[in-house]
Structure formats: structure tokens, C-alpha cells
Amino acid sequence: MIAGGMTHFKKINFNDDFRLNVKHSLDYALKDSGMKIGDIEGSVSAYFSDHLQGQLIAGAMSNDFIGLAGKPSKRIEGGGATGGLAFQTAYEEIASGTMDTCLAYGFENMSHVGTWRGNDIIALGSDASFDYPLGGFYTAYYALMATRHMYEFGTTEKQMAMVSVKNHGNAMYNPYAQAPMDITVDDVLKSPVVSSPIKMLDICLMSDGAACAILASEEVAKSYSGKPVLIKSIGSSSDTMRLADRPFGTVPLLPNENPEMYRNLKYPGVHSFRAGRLAAKMAYRKAGISNPQKEIDFAELYDAYTSAEIQAYEDMGFCQYGQGGKFIEDGRSMLDGDIPVNMEGGLQASGHAIGATGIMQAVYAFWQLQGTVHKHLGSNRLQVKNPHMGIIHSHAGTGAYEAVTVMEAV
Amino acid sequence: MGYGKLLKIDPLVVEWNYTTEYRHSYAEDSPFFMELGRGRLLGSRCKSCGFKYGTYRKYCMYCGSETEDMDLPLQGKVHSFTTCYYSGETFRGDVPYTLVLVEFPGIDSLFMSRLFMNHGEKPKIGMDVVAQFKKFQTFTVNDVYFVPA
């Protein structure tokens, strides 16, 4: 990766349509890398919902707007993992030798419908025969998982609230963030219950915004950027769309785990994201990571809900299954913890413009690994100290798709 | 789509209605929805590997073989639950409502449904629940729901 950019995510941005948002993020990346649009050989576009855009084939419209008409391009869609999967597709374009430079860009304009209607549209990303007619509400599906996680492992609403406090607090130092907030655990616990046990301040934002990442082959990367970041490996997996279909089997173990740890755990059930674990396992194997707790310096995790961030600590192997609540309670994912998570605010506070989100994570990780957070965010407050390796992680459809990418400073 | 109603200027924003008739076919899942009207809750059993599904499906996701219909027990236990105070626009009039994942004895996977309780009752994991069927079919999955046993 040689450059990235993003717009300031906003609840409503009627001034810039999706094309202009993409252009703003791209102009920033081009300026940062010294590249020109003519240097880009092709693109991968990422957006989740044609309903939200009110426009089909919106990728093609973006391409001609930014000057890439006439060059190869494809659209990737995978729910909340759309951006993360598109980033991986751009990597594949380079790794396969198809292109020497490739732009991954993502966008979503979610403000064009009201929040209740937005919930409806997003819930069409669940089984339209068996799940959607029960309430049309994704928060409910994650809440069912959170309830079971609490039952299996003793995770508490207070621990979930700590994630919200951390991410909103981190965002106070991120000028790109939509909802920086100085809040307390009590504020989160007293916010309106949306779908028990999940409350208003446990939930990510709906955003208008865009993000982009420019990837290049190793040789070309050196000619443009003094400080490229290596995409070390990619991993992805999938699971059943319906929560009700999730199996009750055994945990896919990471190298630093053993079967004794999970002797009585029926996995994944609805308490854990099997696709996340499998995606991480694939990415770690290809990157040669044998102990993520020791080798990964930070992570951008998919915190659509605070419960999902806690579940992801476990899926990613940052702690044993069942210890996710304790992981935040012990401060291990805080800025000064041993594996800081969502240093810039995550989906909770930085924003969730769905197609842009996974690429937004990549840009943040890129700046962290470059050590250029000060340059891009205006202060060093969120810079992880001397990071060598980080991961980005996103998922869709209560884990129906998941993507994990390992990035390394070089 | 149609003519827009002016919402604001600078930038110019118009609002239009975005609705359509949509013909949703249950296709191979049709027997499940039809039988709800006869008070039957169908699951599926794989003819090859024997896996028993709590949510109807025509083909086994483990071995790809065709399944056969089977009657699920009408009584089960709450595996997980949530009470929703917000929802999608379509279901705005329904809140608050409670969703449950139900586990059935001898069945290998779950079923998602609504749980109706008397005022003051609270759902909990392990609670015994029993299926009820709507008197007038809506031809949706809501034709079955659960109440405490």
C-alpha cells in the first residue's frame, strides 16, 4: 500500500455525492504519494447497497468521475465486509500480476433514507423469508449473539460499555471522526435500550463518506512512496446467513491454543463468529504468525456493536474464548494496552459508511504503520508506538462473510 | 421513483417515493409456509447424513443431499433472546417485541421466532416455550410464534 485517503464521515452530507466523496479521498491519497490518476492501472469499487445509493452501477459512475474510465474495474459487495473484501481484491489484482497499481475505493451515502428505513434496507441482508419478516432489524441479530455470549462466558453490559467509552474517547483526537464523545460507562448504560442488551451508545453510526487505498507491486511501490506498507497476507471465510443454522462443533484452533482450552464449548453456536476465526487463522498462517497476542501490535476491528468488538478479541485470538470481556476490562485494547484496538474510534465513533469502512480501516492501519498519524490526524495522540504489524477485520451478516488482512511496516 | 418533492436548495435536494410491488416466491421452501396454516412446524432431515434442521431447508448444507420434511416438536427451550424497542420501518408499529432462538430436543440447529409473554414476564435462556399458530395466515414466518410453556 502506498497511499490512502478518506473523507470526514458525516451523518448527512448532501453537498457531496458518492462520486465527489470518492474524489476527495482519492485527491488526498494522490497528493500524499505524488502519483497522478494516470498512474493508476485499474480499480475495485466497494459499496454495499444499491437501495441506499438510489443508483445501480454506481462504481462505473465513480470511475468516470475520477478519471478511470477505460481501465479495468469491478465492484465488490459483501455486506459490512464490503470494503475489507474490496481491499483484498485489489491486493489480488496486484499479487496475480494483473496490475502494478490498483485503486480500492469504497463509499456509502446512508443519509438518503431515515434511520428506521435504513434498518429495513440493511436487514434485507438477512434471510428475506425466515429472518427479515420477524422485525427487519440487524441490531436484534447481534443482540441475540450478545445475550448468548453473556450467558456462555459471563460477559457484562458494563464491559460492553467500556468498549464504547474507549472508541468514542479515542475519536476525540481524530478529525475524520463523525461522533467523538467524552462519555462514561454510566452514560452508555443509561442510553436507551435498542435491542436488549444493546443500547444506543453500543451501536455504530450510519454515515456518508468514502475512503480509498492505492496498492502497488513491490517494485512500483518503491518508486512512489518513501514508506510503503506491506500487505503481508489476506484471509477470509464465510458462515451461514441464518444465525439459526450455525453449528455446535469445535473451535478451529490457532497455533497458540490447544483443545483442552475449549473442552466443553459448543462452537460457534451464536456466541462467536466462526468466519472471523477462520479468516484470522488463514491470514495468520500465510503471514507466519504463531502467536497473535505477541506478534500483532494493533488492530482495527469491526465494532458495529460493542459486543462484536469483544467477540472479535476472541475470534482474532487476542485472548482465549470467554476472556473478551476481561480483555477490555484489563485495558488491553486501550491506546496504552498491549494490543490497542480501534485507536481512531472504529465504526462506533469514526463512522460506518458501509462500503468505505474496511478501506477506512486500511488507511488508518497504513498511517499507523508508517508512523504518520501526526501528519494525517494533526497530533500524535493516537499513534501506536513503533508498530510493526497490525490487522484490519470486518464482517457482514452476523459473520456470513469475514475478512482479515495483515499489514506490516517495512 | 417519480417526480420529486422539493426538500431544500443549495444543494438542491428532492424527495421521491420509492416503492414497488414485489413478488417474493418461497419456491422450494413453500411447504414450510403452507403447513404453518395447518398447525405444523416443519424442519428438515438430511436423507444422507441424518442432520436435523430446526429451520427448514431443502438441501443439506453439510453434504448437499436432498432433505425430507419432518415435524418439529412444538415445544422447545429459549437458546437466546432479545427485546427490540426499535426496528426496521416496516415493523415500527410492532415494538417492543421479543425475538428468540429456539432449540428443540433432538434437533441439531435452531429456529428464530417471536416470543409473546404476559405483562411482567421476562424471557430467559432455558425457558420452556411452545409454538402457537396464527388463526389467519399471513404467509410469512410470523404465522408461527412462541409463548411460555
Side-chain angles (χ1 to χ4, degrees):
Chain A
M1 181 168 172
I2 54 178
M6 70 183 78
T7 63
H8 178 187
F9 283 26
K10 297 175 181 172
K11 180 174 175 59
I12 298 174
N13 180 6
F14 283 146
N15 289 315
D16 306 326
D17 68 6
F18 60 91
R19 300 169 302 173
L20 190 52
N21 275 334
V22 170
K23 181 167 171 53
H24 285 323
S25 69
L26 174 62
D27 285 348
Y28 188 92
L30 290 174
K31 189 178 175 190
D32 192 42
S33 62
M35 295 181 83
K36 293 183 169 52
I37 189 66
D39 299 326
I40 308 283
E41 294 181 9
S43 65
V44 179
S45 69
Y47 56 102
F48 163 59
S49 173
D50 300 302
H51 299 296
L52 290 171
Q53 308 314 322
Q55 170 70 58
L56 277 67
I57 322 183
M61 289 188 71
S62 303
N63 279 338
D64 71 54
F65 196 82
I66 59 178
L68 287 180
K71 294 188 174 176
S73 184
K74 62 185 64 148
R75 175 208 181 171
I76 295 295
E77 188 278 314
T82 295
L85 291 168
F87 186 74
Q88 295 190 344
T89 303
Y91 164 90
E92 289 164 346
E93 296 282 22
I94 303 292
S96 67
T98 305
M99 300 178 195
D100 273 323
T101 55
C102 183
L103 171 70
Y105 66 85
F107 58 85
E108 211 81 40
N109 277 6
M110 302 182 73
S111 64
H112 295 233
V113 296
T115 300
W116 290 72
R117 181 63 69 198
N119 285 334
D120 249 347
I121 290 171
I122 292 167
L124 286 170
S126 62
D127 188 308
S129 295
F130 287 91
D131 290 347
Y132 167 80
L134 294 170
F137 200 30
Y138 243 95
T139 304
Y141 310 148
Y142 278 83
L144 286 163
M145 297 189 79
T147 300
R148 191 69 197 189
H149 196 274
M150 293 167 73
Y151 176 82
E152 291 281 349
F153 303 127
T155 310
T156 66
E157 293 176 48
K158 188 177 173 186
Q159 289 167 337
M160 289 162 59
M162 288 174 179
V163 172
S164 175
V165 171
K166 167 178 73 71
N167 293 352
H168 286 96
N170 287 351
M172 297 284 287
Y173 306 96
N174 178 6
Y176 288 100
Q178 181 177 332
M181 287 186 212
D182 182 13
I183 53 173
T184 65
V185 165
D186 213 34
D187 292 332
V188 182
L189 293 174
K190 285 181 177 166
S191 65
V193 178
V194 174
S195 184
S196 62
I198 293 175
K199 294 162 218 62
M200 199 75 84
L201 287 173
D202 286 307
I203 304 175
C204 67
L205 305 159
M206 289 188 182
S207 310
D208 288 358
C212 77
I214 301 173
L215 306 190
S217 61
E218 190 173 349
E219 201 166 297
V220 172
K222 284 174 186 165
S223 66
Y224 283 110
S225 170
K227 221 167 187 180
V229 163
L230 179 67
I231 313 302
K232 183 87 168 170
S233 69
I234 62 173
S236 64
S237 194
S238 62
D239 211 328
T240 67
M241 176 65 113
R242 296 189 297 229
L243 274 181
D245 289 336
R246 301 282 162 90
F248 296 92
T250 56
V251 178
L253 298 173
L254 295 174
N256 59 323
E257 295 178 320
N258 65 68
E260 279 303 298
M261 290 174 168
Y262 306 122
R263 201 168 17 156
N264 299 315
L265 183 64
K266 292 177 180 174
Y267 183 90
V270 298
H271 54 73
S272 298
F273 296 98
R274 179 175 60 164
R277 169 50 67 97
L278 290 170
K281 189 171 176 172
M282 178 189 289
Y284 294 166
R285 180 177 51 76
K286 289 198 280 188
I289 294 171
S290 56
N291 187 340
Q293 294 185 36
K294 291 184 177 165
E295 294 167 69
I296 291 170
D297 300 310
F298 69 84
E300 303 285 350
L301 300 184
Y302 193 80
D303 59 325
Y305 302 92
T306 53
S307 49
E309 181 171 314
I310 287 174
Q311 289 164 298
Y313 298 152
E314 301 167 356
D315 298 327
M316 299 300 108
F318 295 169
C319 59
Q320 198 173 321
Y321 275 108
Q323 297 297 308
K326 190 169 183 301
F327 191 82
I328 177 71
E329 202 167 83
D330 290 347
R332 295 184 62 193
S333 56
M334 304 292 281
L335 268 178
D336 58 355
D338 60 314
I339 310 179
V341 171
N342 293 332
M343 298 76 66
E344 303 81 5
L347 285 62
Q348 296 263 316
S350 185
H352 189 22
I354 304 177
T357 296
I359 298 169
M360 170 194 82
Q361 293 175 316
V363 175
Y364 285 141
F366 174 72
W367 290 340
Q368 288 286 353
L369 290 163
Q370 274 193 322
T372 57
V373 167
H374 177 268
K375 175 183 172 186
H376 299 289
L377 302 187
S379 87
N380 245 345
R381 182 76 184 235
L382 303 178
Q383 176 72 57
V384 176
K385 285 178 187 158
N386 304 314
H388 177 65
M389 197 176 287
I391 65 165
I392 60 173
H393 157 253
S394 53
H395 57 78
T398 59
Y401 294 127
E402 299 220 22
V404 174
T405 299
V406 179
M407 299 170 68
E408 186 180 54
V410 289
Chain B
M1 300 276 191
Y3 295 106
K5 177 175 75 179
L6 181 62
L7 278 193
K8 61 179 289 203
I9 56 173
D10 193 24
L12 184 61
V13 180
V14 294
E15 182 179 78
W16 51 54
N17 199 15
Y18 184 79
T19 59
T20 184
E21 294 300 314
Y22 186 82
R23 292 157 195 163
H24 182 79
S25 172
Y26 288 116
E28 71 276 8
D29 294 330
S30 296
F32 171 84
F33 295 93
M34 290 300 293
E35 290 306 308
L36 292 179
R38 299 188 178 95
R40 294 177 71 201
L41 180 59
L42 293 183
S44 308
R45 177 172 42 227
C46 177
K47 291 177 183 174
S48 178
C49 72
F51 194 93
K52 293 175 187 168
Y53 290 95
T55 304
Y56 191 84
R57 63 165 57 228
K58 210 63 191 167
Y59 292 90
C60 179
M61 68 179 183
Y62 293 102
C63 69
S65 301
E66 196 173 353
T67 63
E68 58 189 3
D69 298 355
M70 61 176 290
D71 284 287
L72 291 171
L74 296 183
Q75 188 159 332
K77 289 182 185 297
V78 171
H79 184 79
S80 194
F81 65 88
T82 181
T83 299
C84 302
Y85 298 89
Y86 294 78
S87 72
E89 181 71 37
T90 309
F91 307 95
R92 197 171 181 142
D94 293 359
V95 297
Y97 59 85
T98 296
L99 296 187
V100 286
L101 285 161
V102 179
E103 55 187 46
F104 300 103
I107 304 298
D108 300 313
S109 64
L110 308 172
F111 182 72
M112 192 190 291
S113 189
R114 285 198 186 185
L115 175 70
F116 289 87
M117 292 167 294
N118 292 321
H119 186 68
E121 282 184 303
K122 287 187 177 175
K124 63 178 185 179
I125 289 177
M127 171 191 272
D128 290 315
V129 289
V130 61
Q132 305 286 304
F133 297 90
K134 288 230 175 107
K135 185 175 179 183
F136 299 107
Q137 268 188 286
T138 61
F139 300 102
T140 74
V141 71
N142 289 300
D143 286 344
V144 61
Y145 59 94
F146 284 77
V147 298

